[in-house]
Amino acid sequence: MTEQLNSIEQFHQFIETHPLAVIHVMRDHCSVCHAVLPQIQDIVSEYSHATFGVINQSKVEAIAGELSIFTVPVDLIFLDGKEMHRQARFIDMQSFEHQLQLMNDSLER
């Protein structure tokens, strides 16, 4: 399930509430962002501890400063509220999934 995050406060609440959180930052007219979104959603859905949130930087412009984002898309993995992995612009799905799997497995122990 994908949760739409519409403010910095919702973003902080999301990563603090969910032990393993994946965030996809995108913009309205970014074709790469829209192409990557379903691929990341599919990967996240395979992991029991992972939750998925999407932030549209076109609507929440302050997220760029909050996360030091200079380009989109950006996909981030947070473990216990801390950023553990980040990929931007060109997303390597295998690498992203490998990192997510490692973190998901660490929560199962």
Side-chain angles (χ1 to χ4, degrees):
M1 185 173 119
T2 301
E3 188 169 331
Q4 195 68 41
L5 307 173
N6 298 310
S7 69
I8 300 288
E9 294 77 22
Q10 282 184 331
F11 160 74
H12 283 291
Q13 182 179 6
F14 186 81
I15 65 169
E16 290 167 10
T17 305
H18 303 288
L20 183 56
V22 175
I23 302 292
H24 178 75
V25 182
M26 61 187 295
R27 290 190 65 81
D28 281 339
H29 302 290
C30 170
S31 59
V32 175
C33 300
H34 292 280
V36 167
L37 178 60
Q39 295 175 51
I40 294 291
Q41 283 175 313
D42 288 345
I43 290 170
V44 173
S45 70
E46 297 294 319
Y47 295 92
S48 58
H49 296 289
T51 53
F52 188 57
V54 175
I55 301 175
N56 187 331
Q57 187 184 348
S58 299
K59 294 178 178 67
V60 186
E61 292 182 9
I63 198 67
E66 184 74 17
L67 295 173
S68 298
I69 291 173
F70 301 102
T71 187
V72 287
V74 177
D75 290 292
L76 306 112
I77 303 173
F78 289 84
L79 183 63
D80 296 326
K82 293 181 180 65
E83 182 181 326
M84 302 299 285
H85 184 75
R86 172 187 293 228
Q87 288 192 26
R89 185 175 274 174
F90 304 107
I91 311 299
D92 179 342
M93 295 299 168
Q94 287 181 318
S95 172
F96 189 85
E97 183 168 14
H98 176 71
Q99 293 298 319
L100 185 59
Q101 182 178 14
L102 291 173
M103 288 176 234
N104 188 75
D105 291 350
S106 75
L107 292 173
E108 291 181 350
R109 295 182 182 152

